[in-house]
Amino acid sequence: LNRLVEVSNQISNAYENYEFSKFFQILQSFCVVDLSNFYLDIAKDRLYVSAKSDFRRRSCQFVMSKVVENLAVLISPVLCHMAEDIWQNIPYTTKEKSVFQRGWPTFPDSWSNNEELNENISNLRYLRVEINKAIEGCRNKQIIGAALETEVNYLPENTNVQKSLNWLEKSGNKEVDSYSDWLIISHFKVVNNLAEESLIIDNNEIGKIQILKAEGKKCDRCWHYQKDTVLGIQNTNLCKRCANIINLG
């Protein structure tokens, strides 16, 4: 939501200065870098695996509804037909029958001007990129298939990244802000010493990133690897989370 406010302000300034090419650049970057490569990638587990009324699912739906509604308004001056098509296909009732009845986006003050949030999220996204590079190296060597087959040990050597991980642990919502979910892996740990055996160790400026084969059994519903699983219908293995969701726990 904080990023949505920033993008909205940038697009508004581009319109006011008749910089329409800049508008497209901002929009494309937001849709590709912030949404597709980051938020929507993480959101899959929250939307598809969580129980229908879970906070982690409902909060994600709220964010996505605000993104869709406001992006439709932001593109409406130059992509009017597309904006209206989006509005008419929003899968819930809105007060306005047309995107052109909504008015220009306004946001609560609590969604913006949070420098601490921006700095910490930037550090955590940078760490995510470096870890994904290490996992991709394992995938290229055909050591693993999916990232969920791995767990990661991180030995920090960068105080800013360490502070941001501590910030996430203290300030984040336990249901939503698990860093292993950000990485789409089975487990993530900050360690003082690396394990003796691993698939790969990547040593860079932010520390040592150790990729290990995930321990335990694969949950047939969410595909996470867990040591404790429950036997489900037709001999399926389910983690405790999924078993509780479908009332088998």
Side-chain angles (χ1 to χ4, degrees):
L1 296 177
N2 179 265
R3 183 73 183 118
L4 176 63
V5 176
E6 290 180 345
V7 167
S8 179
N9 292 336
Q10 290 170 1
I11 289 177
S12 297
N13 290 333
Y15 279 142
E16 290 172 1
N17 294 310
Y18 301 99
E19 297 175 321
F20 298 112
S21 61
K22 188 175 181 179
F23 149 73
F24 282 109
Q25 291 171 1
I26 295 167
L27 179 67
Q28 183 183 38
S29 177
F30 179 61
C31 290
V32 174
V33 178
D34 295 304
L35 291 179
S36 181
N37 292 350
F38 181 60
Y39 189 76
L40 296 180
D41 202 26
I42 297 170
K44 293 173 186 175
D45 185 85
R46 293 171 64 179
L47 293 172
Y48 301 153
V49 176
S50 303
K52 188 175 182 179
S53 59
D54 271 3
F55 171 78
R56 72 193 300 267
R57 183 172 186 268
R58 295 292 292 160
S59 60
C60 184
Q61 288 178 318
F62 173 80
V63 170
M64 292 181 68
S65 71
K66 297 306 175 186
V67 169
V68 168
E69 290 176 23
N70 287 288
L71 280 186
V73 174
L74 289 168
I75 69 172
S76 61
V78 290
L79 299 170
C80 51
H81 297 296
M82 179 183 290
E84 187 63 19
D85 283 344
I86 292 171
W87 199 265
Q88 297 305 323
N89 286 281
I90 290 176
Y92 52 85
T93 303
T94 58
K95 293 180 181 179
E96 300 82 8
K97 292 184 179 180
S98 169
V99 67
F100 299 104
Q101 295 176 323
R102 165 57 70 93
W104 203 244
T106 58
F107 304 98
D109 292 337
S110 59
W111 291 10
S112 60
N113 298 323
N114 193 328
E115 293 183 7
E116 181 187 16
L117 175 67
N118 287 339
E119 181 181 353
N120 285 311
I121 294 297
S122 178
N123 290 335
L124 294 173
R125 288 181 67 171
Y126 178 55
L127 175 60
R128 182 177 184 265
V129 168
E130 294 302 315
I131 291 175
N132 283 341
K133 287 179 183 177
I135 293 174
E136 189 63 28
C138 293
R139 195 182 280 122
N140 291 337
K141 294 178 181 178
Q142 298 184 340
I143 302 174
I144 60 166
L148 284 168
E149 296 176 18
T150 67
E151 53 186 67
V152 174
N153 288 340
Y154 171 57
L155 181 61
E157 295 178 359
N158 182 295
T159 55
N160 291 331
V161 174
Q162 177 68 71
K163 288 178 181 177
S164 294
L165 286 167
N166 293 338
W167 168 84
L168 183 67
E169 181 70 23
K170 294 177 182 177
S171 304
N173 185 293
K174 301 298 181 184
E175 286 188 66
V176 175
D177 295 317
S178 168
Y179 198 60
S180 59
D181 290 342
W182 285 36
L183 299 169
I184 318 177
I185 61 173
S186 288
H187 301 285
F188 172 81
K189 290 186 292 186
V190 178
V191 298
N192 295 319
N193 297 292
L194 299 178
E196 292 184 2
E197 297 183 3
S198 63
L199 301 178
I200 193 173
I201 297 177
D202 181 29
N203 191 3
N204 54 49
E205 60 183 14
I206 60 173
K208 293 182 174 65
I209 298 168
Q210 184 180 44
I211 312 297
L212 303 94
K213 193 76 173 175
E215 295 182 356
K217 294 181 179 179
K218 179 183 178 181
C219 173
D220 291 319
R221 184 172 181 271
C222 69
W223 295 7
H224 285 72
Y225 282 75
Q226 301 289 343
K227 293 180 180 179
D228 297 324
T229 58
V230 175
L231 191 62
I233 299 171
Q234 298 179 347
N235 294 321
T236 55
N237 287 311
L238 297 174
C239 64
K240 290 183 177 179
R241 176 182 64 157
C242 288
N244 289 331
I245 290 172
I246 61 176
N247 298 318
L248 286 177

